[in-house]
Amino acid sequence: MKLISNHDCLPCGSTVATIGMFDGVHLGHVTLINEVKRIARERHLQSAVITFAQHPQAVLRSDSDIKMLLTTADKVAQIERHGIDVTVLLDFTLSLSRHTSRQFLQLLRDRYGVAVLVVGYDHRFGHDPNESFADYVQHGKDLGIDVLKAPEYLGEYAPVSSSIIRRLIASGKVDDAMRCMGRPYTLKGKVVHGFHNGRGIGFPTANVGEWAPELILPHKGAYAVMVQVAGQWHQGMVNVGVRPTLNNGKRLSIEVNIFDFDADIYGMDITLQFIKFLRLEFKLGSIEELRAQLTCDRETSRRILTAHQAHPCG
């Protein structure tokens, strides 16, 4: 896949494209991507996704605290995984936001070679919110661009949107988010030194640090997770929170217990796939009660993760 930016150009009339933020590259996005690829094959053109490095809301609203489902690099990688020929990564700016839909279509035609624009079934672009898909079609005819509407995603978990998935993750419903995305919600980081409490109670943990701050964190609590470290996947469970039973203060931590694993991994990259919520974080009366709860969590996680590995996203 070719990745190009604001200042690059593509040959005139060379692409079938779609446009959007594509945060999460969820199953609705995949339906749109597949339609772009189908039309590109029919017309012997390149398939293209035009997306943004910044969420429009973060640019247009100074008080925005929107969190993302993917880093920009991981979003581009997911788009590539679905077989797109070209990804155009634009900087979303105030100047760009003031374009009319007609001006924006002209930009796509002149700079990125768009001959066909496939629009998501409910997507809007341009600064006039009252324009309809029919207006886009007419502007396209005037400019020599075919503007087509993509089929609506009608899967089992429709409707799907990035905002719906963010709400699911923020409320701990990571299994529902996984079914909307077609894959588990994932956080990447490095193993850093933490509180060093877990080993003393029989549950050694890796403290996950340096995760991308723009990404949304699941609701505080315990989760069954798949863990990748040193190139290998393992079952595990993670706590997102402040560890109240151990009186570790108010600093948020992400502590993962990797099952059947005992190696020094400090400083190494680590990836967590959130499979299912186990329970809320709460303070227990003693270390013995905590050990018993963690034993129960581990048994539950093993069952969940074994079933997940047999039927991913099932």
Side-chain angles (χ1 to χ4, degrees):
M1 185 189 76
K2 184 176 183 180
L3 176 64
I4 67 172
S5 64
N6 286 52
H7 307 297
D8 297 312
C9 293
L10 291 169
C12 180
S14 64
T15 61
V16 176
T18 188
I19 184 164
M21 189 61 209
F22 281 83
D23 186 32
V25 193
H26 55 63
L27 293 176
H29 293 142
V30 173
T31 296
L32 184 53
I33 286 171
N34 287 340
E35 182 70 359
V36 168
K37 289 162 54 182
R38 182 188 68 79
I39 296 170
R41 285 194 301 269
E42 288 181 352
R43 303 199 184 194
H44 305 288
L45 299 173
Q46 292 190 96
S47 60
V49 167
I50 300 167
T51 188
F52 303 107
Q54 306 85 9
H55 196 286
Q57 183 175 316
V59 175
L60 299 175
R61 291 180 50 188
S62 59
D63 61 344
S64 173
D65 62 351
I66 188 166
K67 295 293 186 179
M68 307 303 293
L69 300 170
L70 288 172
T71 64
T72 298
D74 284 340
K75 175 173 68 173
V76 170
Q78 282 295 327
I79 292 170
E80 180 176 19
R81 188 173 72 86
H82 288 288
I84 284 290
D85 297 319
V86 181
T87 293
V88 180
L89 186 62
L90 299 183
D91 288 324
F92 190 89
T93 62
L94 287 174
S95 175
L96 187 64
S97 75
R98 297 188 183 107
H99 278 47
T100 65
S101 57
R102 184 186 182 92
Q103 289 172 326
F104 195 65
L105 283 167
Q106 187 169 350
L107 172 68
L108 298 185
R109 182 196 68 182
D110 294 347
R111 181 167 292 176
Y112 304 114
V114 175
V116 181
L117 183 68
V118 183
V119 179
Y121 78 97
D122 62 349
H123 186 68
R124 297 286 183 271
F125 60 90
H127 78 278
D128 185 350
N130 296 316
E131 283 201 319
S132 66
F133 176 74
D135 295 313
Y136 304 155
V137 171
Q138 185 58 55
H139 296 326
K141 286 181 179 178
D142 296 342
L143 295 167
I145 300 173
D146 286 341
V147 179
L148 308 176
K149 184 175 285 190
E152 181 179 358
Y153 171 67
L154 296 173
E156 182 180 358
Y157 294 91
V160 171
S161 71
S162 301
S163 57
I164 287 172
I165 295 170
R166 290 188 201 104
R167 288 196 294 270
L168 290 170
I169 292 169
S171 62
K173 298 176 182 177
V174 295
D175 51 339
D176 289 331
M178 173 172 61
R179 294 181 181 101
C180 292
M181 295 177 72
R183 65 186 188 284
Y185 181 62
T186 300
L187 283 178
K188 298 176 182 179
K190 285 188 179 294
V191 179
V192 298
H193 287 282
F195 298 105
H196 302 286
N197 296 5
R199 187 171 296 277
I201 59 173
F203 289 87
T205 59
N207 187 46
V208 181
E210 300 185 25
W211 66 82
E214 68 268 29
L215 295 184
I216 192 167
L217 288 181
H219 193 284
K220 290 180 182 178
Y223 296 83
V225 291
M226 294 300 300
V227 186
Q228 187 184 53
V229 66
Q232 299 293 321
W233 285 100
H234 306 270
Q235 295 183 354
M237 59 184 182
V238 69
N239 187 76
V240 178
V242 296
R243 300 157 52 96
T245 305
L246 297 172
N247 297 312
N248 289 132
K250 295 183 178 181
R251 192 183 86 190
L252 184 120
S253 67
I254 301 177
E255 299 268 353
V256 57
N257 173 240
I258 307 172
F259 302 159
D260 307 316
F261 183 85
D262 186 14
D264 184 356
I265 55 175
Y266 287 114
M268 297 180 67
D269 293 334
I270 190 167
T271 299
L272 305 180
Q273 290 184 339
F274 287 78
I275 307 304
K276 192 171 180 61
F277 178 79
L278 298 174
R279 59 174 174 83
L280 291 171
E281 185 178 54
F282 54 87
K283 185 170 184 176
L284 292 158
S286 66
I287 294 298
E288 289 71 23
E289 287 183 20
L290 176 60
R291 185 182 292 112
Q293 180 63 60
L294 293 175
T295 299
C296 179
D297 292 342
R298 182 171 57 192
E299 292 172 357
T300 302
S301 294
R302 286 189 190 276
R303 291 195 298 270
I304 290 168
L305 296 169
T306 299
H308 167 74
Q309 289 176 291
H311 302 285
C313 299

